[in-house]
Amino acid sequence: MDALAQIETWPAQTVAVGVLGDGETLAAQGPRGRVFRWASVTKLATALAALVAAEEGIVDLDEPTGPPGSTVRHLLAHASGLPFDAGAPISKPGQRRIYSNAGFEVLAETIADAAEMPFSAYLAAAVLEPLQMKTELRGSPAAGLRGTLDDLLRLGAELQRPRLIAAETLAEATSVQFPGLVGVLPDVGRMDPNDWGLGFELRDAKQPHWTGAQNSPRTFGHFGGSGTFLWVDPDARLALGCLTDLDFGPWALEAWPRLSDAVLTEDARVAE
């Protein structure tokens, strides 16, 4: 895919990128076996583990946990009122979309307590090992995964054609939770609304955005502060994953949408 050649002009020293179509790798460029820090793209795997736990009956999405009035669903949707890092709530649950690493840490503790095992072990058993991922959680369940492009593409393929959870569960997880909440999309800006699913950031009509102008409103995924992202566009039946060694910054908000649009346009042209 010619579009992937764009990464050669990026300021990052090392970039690995891959495109999926209906769960199959269509193209890739860069070192597929190099281990990168995923940063907040980790939340996609943690959210998937939470959905597996919900289907297994280990947790219930609407059971209380976290601040008073908060549930597992609130934590997944960044609607619990917890701040970005550890600390007291700064809002009542369900009133604002406050992006919260602390909320995902509480989520992981809830699953660990219910499963009676460390969260890292549950994540490995529920998600990483079934998907044959060698990725390791080193630290926070909000941002601690380190892994390769091949593993990121395995995760993306699962989100295109789910095997670990029911398609209906993924559909719920990628639909708007607590509609209408205003909030800040980290390092991008204030969004009204700042729609989110169950751990999945939703493109909807957000502008500006880190995905492309050609991405459908149904696109979901996540990006990370380490210069990483994964999006899945159900309408285009494509997914795009990217790992870099350069922290997120203005360069990414220029390069990522351009790459996304080029991939979507090239795929449409090839299909014709």
Side-chain angles (χ1 to χ4, degrees):
M1 184 173 281
D2 294 341
L4 301 190
Q6 288 186 19
I7 67 173
E8 301 299 330
T9 67
W10 289 8
Q13 183 174 354
T14 309
V15 182
V17 61
V19 182
L20 294 165
D22 291 330
E24 301 293 332
T25 300
L26 301 180
Q29 188 157 331
R32 295 176 62 163
R34 171 169 171 164
V35 174
F36 292 85
R37 184 168 65 91
W38 287 18
S40 284
V41 175
T42 299
K43 292 183 176 71
L44 297 178
T46 296
L48 185 55
L51 296 174
V52 172
E55 286 198 345
E56 290 181 341
I58 293 172
V59 298
D60 188 289
L61 292 176
D62 296 308
E63 72 178 65
T65 188
S70 171
T71 65
V72 169
R73 188 183 301 274
H74 284 96
L75 294 173
L76 278 165
H78 297 287
S80 71
L82 287 172
F84 180 82
D85 288 320
I90 55 178
S91 175
K92 292 182 179 180
Q95 290 191 350
R96 291 168 55 196
R97 192 83 64 191
I98 302 170
Y99 184 81
S100 178
N101 283 343
F104 264 67
E105 288 164 2
V106 173
L107 171 69
E109 291 171 2
T110 300
I111 295 171
D113 289 345
E116 299 182 337
M117 67 174 69
F119 178 75
S120 59
Y122 186 81
L123 176 65
V127 175
L128 305 182
E129 292 171 2
L131 296 182
Q132 299 182 322
M133 296 168 62
K134 298 179 181 178
T135 297
E136 296 181 356
L137 183 62
R138 305 178 190 173
S140 171
L145 281 180
R146 292 176 180 267
T148 65
L149 176 66
D150 278 345
D151 275 359
L152 185 64
L153 295 179
R154 288 185 179 96
L155 179 60
E158 171 65 19
L159 297 177
Q160 285 194 301
R161 290 189 170 184
R163 296 180 293 116
L164 304 183
I165 58 174
E168 294 80 5
T169 300
L170 182 61
E172 179 182 2
T174 55
S175 64
V176 181
Q177 305 292 310
F178 309 105
L181 298 189
V182 176
V184 173
L185 183 58
D187 298 311
V188 179
R190 183 180 184 273
M191 301 290 167
D192 185 4
N194 188 19
D195 286 340
W196 221 279
L198 295 174
F200 301 92
E201 197 249 310
L202 309 180
R203 193 200 192 291
D204 285 352
K206 292 172 182 169
Q207 187 64 32
H209 200 255
W210 55 273
T211 63
Q214 300 300 316
N215 278 92
S216 77
R218 295 181 62 209
T219 300
F220 61 88
H222 217 292
F223 77 89
S226 58
T228 57
F229 72 81
L230 173 65
W231 59 248
V232 177
D233 188 333
D235 288 356
R237 295 162 61 185
L238 289 178
L240 179 63
C242 177
L243 299 172
T244 82
D245 59 3
L246 179 63
D247 284 352
F248 179 88
W251 72 269
L253 285 179
E254 295 178 3
W256 293 355
R258 186 166 59 247
L259 175 63
S260 298
D261 284 339
V263 166
L264 289 161
T265 299
E266 183 173 349
D267 182 76
R269 184 176 64 247
V270 170
E272 292 173 357

